[in-house]
PDB file of all heavy atoms in Angstrom:
ATOM      1  N   PHE T  28     -11.584  10.550   7.517  1.00 96.00           N
ATOM      2  CA  PHE T  28     -12.967  11.036   7.625  1.00 96.00           C
ATOM      3  C   PHE T  28     -13.264  11.513   9.076  1.00 96.00           C
ATOM      4  O   PHE T  28     -13.930  12.580   9.304  1.00 96.00           O
ATOM      5  CB  PHE T  28     -13.930   9.951   7.197  1.00 96.00           C
ATOM      6  CG  PHE T  28     -14.017   9.608   5.759  1.00 96.00           C
ATOM      7  CD1 PHE T  28     -14.210   8.309   5.307  1.00 96.00           C
ATOM      8  CD2 PHE T  28     -13.752  10.631   4.836  1.00 96.00           C
ATOM      9  CE1 PHE T  28     -14.258   8.016   3.963  1.00 96.00           C
ATOM     10  CE2 PHE T  28     -13.748  10.319   3.470  1.00 96.00           C
ATOM     11  CZ  PHE T  28     -13.897   9.060   3.024  1.00 96.00           C
ATOM     12  N   GLY T  46      -8.670 -14.950   6.480  1.00 86.00           N
ATOM     13  CA  GLY T  46      -7.909 -14.896   7.670  1.00 86.00           C
ATOM     14  C   GLY T  46      -7.728 -13.471   8.290  1.00 86.00           C
ATOM     15  O   GLY T  46      -7.128 -13.418   9.418  1.00 86.00           O
ATOM     16  N   LEU T  60     -13.290   3.362  15.739  1.00 96.00           N
ATOM     17  CA  LEU T  60     -13.570   3.928  14.409  1.00 96.00           C
ATOM     18  C   LEU T  60     -15.058   3.483  13.976  1.00 96.00           C
ATOM     19  O   LEU T  60     -15.447   3.732  12.884  1.00 96.00           O
ATOM     20  CB  LEU T  60     -12.558   3.406  13.382  1.00 96.00           C
ATOM     21  CG  LEU T  60     -11.288   4.144  13.343  1.00 96.00           C
ATOM     22  CD1 LEU T  60     -10.274   3.265  12.575  1.00 96.00           C
ATOM     23  CD2 LEU T  60     -11.329   5.495  12.744  1.00 96.00           C
ATOM     24  N   SER T  80     -16.791  -0.998  -5.735  1.00 96.00           N
ATOM     25  CA  SER T  80     -16.104  -2.340  -5.845  1.00 96.00           C
ATOM     26  C   SER T  80     -14.604  -2.261  -6.128  1.00 96.00           C
ATOM     27  O   SER T  80     -14.187  -1.557  -6.972  1.00 96.00           O
ATOM     28  CB  SER T  80     -16.782  -3.177  -6.994  1.00 96.00           C
ATOM     29  OG  SER T  80     -16.118  -4.240  -7.270  1.00 96.00           O
ATOM     30  N   LEU T  93     -27.848  -1.881  -9.694  1.00 79.00           N
ATOM     31  CA  LEU T  93     -26.746  -0.994  -9.466  1.00 79.00           C
ATOM     32  C   LEU T  93     -26.617   0.098 -10.467  1.00 79.00           C
ATOM     33  O   LEU T  93     -25.578   0.775 -10.648  1.00 79.00           O
ATOM     34  CB  LEU T  93     -25.420  -1.619  -9.267  1.00 79.00           C
ATOM     35  CG  LEU T  93     -25.345  -2.748  -8.037  1.00 79.00           C
ATOM     36  CD1 LEU T  93     -24.036  -3.461  -8.216  1.00 79.00           C
ATOM     37  CD2 LEU T  93     -25.404  -1.989  -6.753  1.00 79.00           C
ATOM     38  N   HIS T 102      -6.928  -1.220  -7.813  1.00 96.00           N
ATOM     39  CA  HIS T 102      -5.740  -1.139  -7.088  1.00 96.00           C
ATOM     40  C   HIS T 102      -4.699  -2.181  -7.367  1.00 96.00           C
ATOM     41  O   HIS T 102      -3.565  -2.057  -6.946  1.00 96.00           O
ATOM     42  CB  HIS T 102      -6.068  -1.302  -5.519  1.00 96.00           C
ATOM     43  CG  HIS T 102      -6.789  -0.062  -4.934  1.00 96.00           C
ATOM     44  ND1 HIS T 102      -6.174   0.720  -4.003  1.00 96.00           N
ATOM     45  CD2 HIS T 102      -7.977   0.432  -5.211  1.00 96.00           C
ATOM     46  CE1 HIS T 102      -7.010   1.668  -3.595  1.00 96.00           C
ATOM     47  NE2 HIS T 102      -8.029   1.539  -4.259  1.00 96.00           N
ATOM     48  N   LYS T 143     -14.095   9.109 -17.053  1.00 92.00           N
ATOM     49  CA  LYS T 143     -14.638   8.774 -15.819  1.00 92.00           C
ATOM     50  C   LYS T 143     -13.639   8.420 -14.795  1.00 92.00           C
ATOM     51  O   LYS T 143     -13.945   7.985 -13.693  1.00 92.00           O
ATOM     52  CB  LYS T 143     -15.660   7.676 -15.940  1.00 92.00           C
ATOM     53  CG  LYS T 143     -16.877   7.934 -16.780  1.00 92.00           C
ATOM     54  CD  LYS T 143     -17.885   6.802 -16.809  1.00 92.00           C
ATOM     55  CE  LYS T 143     -19.182   7.171 -17.544  1.00 92.00           C
ATOM     56  NZ  LYS T 143     -20.096   6.065 -17.586  1.00 92.00           N
ATOM     57  N   ARG T 148      -6.062   9.470  -3.905  1.00 94.00           N
ATOM     58  CA  ARG T 148      -4.630   9.098  -3.559  1.00 94.00           C
ATOM     59  C   ARG T 148      -4.634   8.207  -2.344  1.00 94.00           C
ATOM     60  O   ARG T 148      -5.222   8.479  -1.261  1.00 94.00           O
ATOM     61  CB  ARG T 148      -3.843  10.352  -3.301  1.00 94.00           C
ATOM     62  CG  ARG T 148      -3.281  10.991  -4.547  1.00 94.00           C
ATOM     63  CD  ARG T 148      -2.607  12.379  -4.235  1.00 94.00           C
ATOM     64  NE  ARG T 148      -3.606  13.360  -4.108  1.00 94.00           N
ATOM     65  CZ  ARG T 148      -3.331  14.597  -3.883  1.00 94.00           C
ATOM     66  NH1 ARG T 148      -2.038  15.038  -3.728  1.00 94.00           N
ATOM     67  NH2 ARG T 148      -4.262  15.504  -3.758  1.00 94.00           N
ATOM     68  N   ASP T 154       0.027  12.434   9.334  1.00 93.00           N
ATOM     69  CA  ASP T 154      -0.321  13.875   9.748  1.00 93.00           C
ATOM     70  C   ASP T 154      -1.469  13.814  10.803  1.00 93.00           C
ATOM     71  O   ASP T 154      -1.858  14.917  11.347  1.00 93.00           O
ATOM     72  CB  ASP T 154      -0.573  14.745   8.621  1.00 93.00           C
ATOM     73  CG  ASP T 154      -1.634  14.191   7.677  1.00 93.00           C
ATOM     74  OD1 ASP T 154      -1.736  12.881   7.539  1.00 93.00           O
ATOM     75  OD2 ASP T 154      -2.314  14.968   6.953  1.00 93.00           O
ATOM     76  N   VAL T 184      11.673  -9.837  -5.347  1.00 98.00           N
ATOM     77  CA  VAL T 184      12.563  -9.883  -4.198  1.00 98.00           C
ATOM     78  C   VAL T 184      13.951 -10.556  -4.547  1.00 98.00           C
ATOM     79  O   VAL T 184      14.949 -10.278  -3.934  1.00 98.00           O
ATOM     80  CB  VAL T 184      11.941 -10.639  -3.028  1.00 98.00           C
ATOM     81  CG1 VAL T 184      12.865 -10.703  -1.811  1.00 98.00           C
ATOM     82  CG2 VAL T 184      10.704  -9.777  -2.574  1.00 98.00           C
ATOM     83  N   LEU T 202      26.000  -5.857   6.690  1.00 97.00           N
ATOM     84  CA  LEU T 202      24.532  -5.779   6.629  1.00 97.00           C
ATOM     85  C   LEU T 202      23.842  -7.116   6.943  1.00 97.00           C
ATOM     86  O   LEU T 202      24.466  -8.107   6.762  1.00 97.00           O
ATOM     87  CB  LEU T 202      24.123  -5.320   5.244  1.00 97.00           C
ATOM     88  CG  LEU T 202      24.758  -4.011   4.685  1.00 97.00           C
ATOM     89  CD1 LEU T 202      24.211  -3.769   3.302  1.00 97.00           C
ATOM     90  CD2 LEU T 202      24.441  -2.838   5.592  1.00 97.00           C
ATOM     91  N   PRO T 212       3.928 -19.153  -3.557  1.00 95.00           N
ATOM     92  CA  PRO T 212       4.411 -20.421  -4.118  1.00 95.00           C
ATOM     93  C   PRO T 212       5.335 -20.266  -5.274  1.00 95.00           C
ATOM     94  O   PRO T 212       6.129 -21.231  -5.536  1.00 95.00           O
ATOM     95  CB  PRO T 212       3.177 -21.210  -4.477  1.00 95.00           C
ATOM     96  CG  PRO T 212       2.041 -20.566  -3.663  1.00 95.00           C
ATOM     97  CD  PRO T 212       2.446 -19.114  -3.552  1.00 95.00           C
ATOM     98  N   GLY T 227      22.908 -17.327   6.532  1.00 93.00           N
ATOM     99  CA  GLY T 227      23.371 -16.809   7.783  1.00 93.00           C
ATOM    100  C   GLY T 227      23.374 -15.244   7.789  1.00 93.00           C
ATOM    101  O   GLY T 227      23.687 -14.696   8.900  1.00 93.00           O
ATOM    102  N   GLY T 236       0.974  -7.942  11.348  1.00 80.00           N
ATOM    103  CA  GLY T 236      -0.311  -7.356  11.372  1.00 80.00           C
ATOM    104  C   GLY T 236      -0.327  -5.924  11.015  1.00 80.00           C
ATOM    105  O   GLY T 236       0.570  -5.209  11.263  1.00 80.00           O
ATOM    106  N   SER T 256      12.483  -1.716  -2.057  1.00 98.00           N
ATOM    107  CA  SER T 256      11.450  -2.325  -2.877  1.00 98.00           C
ATOM    108  C   SER T 256      11.996  -2.462  -4.304  1.00 98.00           C
ATOM    109  O   SER T 256      12.289  -1.386  -4.898  1.00 98.00           O
ATOM    110  CB  SER T 256      10.175  -1.554  -2.809  1.00 98.00           C
ATOM    111  OG  SER T 256       9.223  -2.055  -3.796  1.00 98.00           O
ATOM    112  N   ILE T 296      16.725   5.873  -5.826  1.00 98.00           N
ATOM    113  CA  ILE T 296      16.164   5.124  -7.024  1.00 98.00           C
ATOM    114  C   ILE T 296      17.346   4.278  -7.652  1.00 98.00           C
ATOM    115  O   ILE T 296      18.433   4.837  -7.851  1.00 98.00           O
ATOM    116  CB  ILE T 296      15.553   6.082  -8.079  1.00 98.00           C
ATOM    117  CG1 ILE T 296      14.415   6.902  -7.455  1.00 98.00           C
ATOM    118  CG2 ILE T 296      15.041   5.315  -9.301  1.00 98.00           C
ATOM    119  CD1 ILE T 296      14.093   8.158  -8.293  1.00 98.00           C
ATOM    120  N   GLU T 325      10.118  15.680   3.919  1.00 97.00           N
ATOM    121  CA  GLU T 325       9.491  16.330   2.816  1.00 97.00           C
ATOM    122  C   GLU T 325       8.699  15.483   1.801  1.00 97.00           C
ATOM    123  O   GLU T 325       7.623  15.818   1.368  1.00 97.00           O
ATOM    124  CB  GLU T 325      10.556  17.118   2.064  1.00 97.00           C
ATOM    125  CG  GLU T 325      11.240  18.271   2.797  1.00 97.00           C
ATOM    126  CD  GLU T 325      10.245  19.336   3.227  1.00 97.00           C
ATOM    127  OE1 GLU T 325       9.478  19.724   2.331  1.00 97.00           O
ATOM    128  OE2 GLU T 325      10.201  19.706   4.446  1.00 97.00           O
ATOM    129  N   SER T 331      -0.258  12.568   2.544  1.00 95.00           N
ATOM    130  CA  SER T 331      -0.831  12.786   3.868  1.00 95.00           C
ATOM    131  C   SER T 331      -2.238  12.565   3.802  1.00 95.00           C
ATOM    132  O   SER T 331      -2.924  12.513   2.690  1.00 95.00           O
ATOM    133  CB  SER T 331      -0.581  14.245   4.286  1.00 95.00           C
ATOM    134  OG  SER T 331      -1.318  15.119   3.400  1.00 95.00           O
ATOM    135  N   TYR T 333      -4.515  14.724   4.489  1.00 94.00           N
ATOM    136  CA  TYR T 333      -5.041  15.860   3.860  1.00 94.00           C
ATOM    137  C   TYR T 333      -5.082  15.811   2.391  1.00 94.00           C
ATOM    138  O   TYR T 333      -6.031  16.207   1.691  1.00 94.00           O
ATOM    139  CB  TYR T 333      -4.377  17.165   4.302  1.00 94.00           C
ATOM    140  CG  TYR T 333      -4.933  18.373   3.743  1.00 94.00           C
ATOM    141  CD1 TYR T 333      -6.226  18.863   4.227  1.00 94.00           C
ATOM    142  CD2 TYR T 333      -4.381  19.099   2.726  1.00 94.00           C
ATOM    143  CE1 TYR T 333      -6.782  20.006   3.774  1.00 94.00           C
ATOM    144  CE2 TYR T 333      -4.930  20.233   2.170  1.00 94.00           C
ATOM    145  CZ  TYR T 333      -6.094  20.706   2.711  1.00 94.00           C
ATOM    146  OH  TYR T 333      -6.773  21.872   2.179  1.00 94.00           O
ATOM    147  N   ILE T 341     -13.296  16.320  -4.399  1.00 93.00           N
ATOM    148  CA  ILE T 341     -13.502  16.420  -5.818  1.00 93.00           C
ATOM    149  C   ILE T 341     -14.498  15.286  -6.223  1.00 93.00           C
ATOM    150  O   ILE T 341     -15.462  15.480  -7.055  1.00 93.00           O
ATOM    151  CB  ILE T 341     -12.114  16.327  -6.617  1.00 93.00           C
ATOM    152  CG1 ILE T 341     -11.376  17.549  -6.347  1.00 93.00           C
ATOM    153  CG2 ILE T 341     -12.450  16.172  -8.120  1.00 93.00           C
ATOM    154  CD1 ILE T 341      -9.888  17.452  -6.896  1.00 93.00           C
ATOM    155  N   LEU T 350     -20.077  15.028   1.096  1.00 57.00           N
ATOM    156  CA  LEU T 350     -19.374  16.384   1.164  1.00 57.00           C
ATOM    157  C   LEU T 350     -19.094  16.855   2.502  1.00 57.00           C
ATOM    158  O   LEU T 350     -19.880  16.504   3.487  1.00 57.00           O
ATOM    159  CB  LEU T 350     -20.225  17.422   0.427  1.00 57.00           C
ATOM    160  CG  LEU T 350     -20.491  17.221  -0.976  1.00 57.00           C
ATOM    161  CD1 LEU T 350     -21.552  18.078  -1.593  1.00 57.00           C
ATOM    162  CD2 LEU T 350     -19.108  17.472  -1.726  1.00 57.00           C
TER     163      LEU T 350
END
Side-chain angles (χ1 to χ4, degrees):
F28 290 146
L60 285 168
S80 169
L93 294 170
H102 284 245
K143 294 184 177 183
R148 276 172 281 182
D154 51 333
V184 178
L202 305 179
S256 172
I296 301 161
E325 290 300 313
S331 65
Y333 182 73
I341 293 171
L350 291 168

